[in-house]
Amino acid sequence: MNPDEKNHRRAIDVIAAYGAEQSAWPEAERAATLDALQSSHEVRQILREEASLDSLLQQSARVATLNATQVAQQIARGLSQQLTLSQRLGRGLEVVAESLSSDFWKPTLAASLTLSAGIAVGSTVYEPVEDWSQAEQYSFTVVGEE
Amino acid sequence: MDQARLVALLREGNQRAYSELVVRHLPAIEVYAKRIVNDDALAQDIAQDVMVVLWQRSADFNPNKARLTTWLHRIAHNRCIDILRKRQREFGWDPSESKYPVAESDTPREQQPIDTALMRLPESQRTALVLTYYQNLSNREVAEIMNLSVRAVESLLVRARGNLKKQLETQE
């Protein structure tokens, strides 16, 4: 393939990819594509075909309907509130840390540990009786003996 | 104000700079999402999510590597693709034929034959065409957004335009 044919082939590829509008072509290849247009009937034919597709593409209209200023305010406000919440949480953690550094928490901790241990032992050792008829028999036996 | 200055201010937590950037970029991102997901309400949610990311992760944006619009389009692209694939998996949703299956758009819009043809394109071809043709991004920027080579983007564009022509001929 000689350099002219190569240029024409590349110009066809550029127009087939980016359409007929020169501003859409890659800047580095714009001049070569224009040269190929001047010299090749085939390239011009491709340009006409792509121009009609471009005009159809122009018919597809989508518009932005969000109010950008309002959206920005909402997001900034929402995120600032989150920041305030995290600042409050941070302050709460600071208070907890401060109180742990003093001595008053020791009796509270000892009481809560005792209570927790009691609940744990009670819930593991206790076995509920499901067959109550057996229990009644024992009661009768005891009564009969009397 | 210069965009680089606005981004620098945003990184310091300046809300005015943030608002200015949202005003500049939200419309393009909203329109892009509408063209990709074909559902106005869903597209608006995506666009707003992208703006939240702008506030939360502006430190991740490197102005020496990309334009802010490219970075935002990339985030929007990833969101759109995630949602499209999730919907296709869950509902077998075909965006060319129906709207988002849960939320109906409040503003029914008359579809042009070109809109239908665009929505029938495979997702990657539609994305390449929309980013290049409607969003006016360069081939390098589109390649970066789609995580492809420039040649691969060109190939998608040629196929997209070829498929559109075929579809529009069939519709006639």
Side-chain angles (χ1 to χ4, degrees):
Chain A
M1 197 186 287
N2 69 43
D4 275 353
E5 282 174 345
K6 206 175 166 184
N7 283 346
H8 289 171
R9 188 56 37 211
R10 181 59 194 151
I12 287 169
D13 288 347
V14 167
I15 295 166
Y18 301 99
E21 190 59 50
Q22 289 177 29
S23 59
W25 301 341
E27 209 175 326
E29 296 182 277
R30 209 167 288 162
T33 309
L34 284 170
D35 284 349
L37 261 176
Q38 297 282 329
S39 57
S40 164
H41 174 74
E42 190 191 359
V43 179
R44 286 195 295 274
Q45 178 59 34
I46 299 287
L47 187 88
R48 274 193 291 275
E49 285 174 22
E50 296 306 326
S52 51
L53 179 60
D54 283 349
S55 64
L56 288 170
L57 284 166
Q58 284 298 323
Q59 289 175 13
S60 168
R62 296 284 175 115
V63 287
T65 48
L66 282 172
N67 181 333
T69 311
Q70 216 169 50
V71 168
Q73 283 169 355
Q74 279 169 357
I75 293 173
R77 203 181 305 134
L79 293 171
S80 307
Q81 279 169 1
Q82 276 181 18
L83 195 67
T84 311
L85 188 68
S86 66
Q87 281 169 342
R88 280 185 202 154
L89 193 66
R91 181 66 197 133
L93 288 172
E94 276 174 22
V95 170
V96 171
E98 277 169 20
S99 57
L100 285 178
S101 65
S102 64
D103 277 349
F104 91 93
W105 58 274
K106 285 177 182 169
T108 315
L109 182 66
S112 62
L113 279 175
T114 311
L115 182 65
S116 305
I119 292 169
V121 168
S123 60
T124 50
V125 171
Y126 171 69
E127 283 180 27
V129 177
E130 288 175 10
D131 186 3
W132 286 101
S133 59
Q134 193 79 6
E136 279 171 13
Q137 278 178 6
Y138 287 127
S139 307
F140 275 120
T141 310
V142 172
V143 171
E145 279 177 0
E146 282 178 353
Chain B
M1 194 189 286
D2 168 43
Q3 185 158 280
R5 178 81 190 121
L6 286 172
V7 172
L9 287 169
L10 169 64
R11 285 174 167 181
E12 292 164 11
N14 185 312
Q15 286 190 16
R16 279 193 185 170
Y18 173 69
S19 294
E20 180 59 33
L21 288 169
V22 171
V23 168
R24 288 188 192 185
H25 292 279
L26 180 68
I29 298 298
E30 183 190 343
V31 169
Y32 168 70
K34 282 179 175 175
R35 288 194 183 281
I36 300 299
V37 299
N38 198 29
D39 181 277
D40 289 0
L42 183 59
Q44 289 179 345
D45 286 348
I46 292 169
Q48 290 181 75
D49 278 356
V50 173
M51 294 304 128
V52 171
V53 173
L54 171 63
W55 175 265
Q56 291 177 326
R57 287 185 17 212
S58 60
D60 293 353
F61 167 63
N62 181 352
N64 300 320
K65 263 181 84 179
R67 288 197 298 156
L68 183 62
T69 187
T70 313
W71 188 69
L72 294 172
H73 272 91
R74 187 176 177 128
I75 297 164
H77 167 70
N78 291 339
R79 294 278 157 118
C80 289
I81 298 307
D82 283 351
I83 286 171
L84 284 178
R85 289 182 184 163
K86 194 175 168 206
R87 293 290 149 198
Q88 278 163 353
R89 261 198 321 270
E90 288 176 359
F91 303 109
W93 178 40
D94 178 357
S96 69
E97 289 175 0
S98 63
K99 285 192 162 291
Y100 182 59
V102 178
E104 283 293 326
S105 172
D106 294 335
T107 50
R109 191 170 36 81
E110 195 182 326
Q111 293 240 331
Q112 297 286 338
I114 187 70
D115 289 318
T116 312
L118 277 166
M119 289 315 297
R120 285 190 177 148
L121 288 177
E123 164 205 303
S124 56
Q125 291 179 23
R126 183 167 70 252
T127 300
L129 189 76
V130 167
L131 288 171
T132 311
Y133 190 83
Y134 293 109
Q135 305 300 109
N136 292 317
L137 294 170
S138 74
N139 53 5
R140 282 187 188 175
E141 288 172 320
V142 176
E144 195 189 315
I145 290 165
M146 297 184 72
N147 208 16
L148 295 170
S149 67
V150 171
R151 287 281 166 190
V153 169
E154 270 186 13
S155 166
L156 284 172
L157 288 171
V158 172
R159 279 186 280 152
R161 293 179 71 96
N163 280 336
L164 282 179
K165 278 184 255 178
K166 272 187 215 161
Q167 282 191 54
L168 293 165
E169 278 166 19
T170 317
Q171 281 179 30
E172 284 167 9

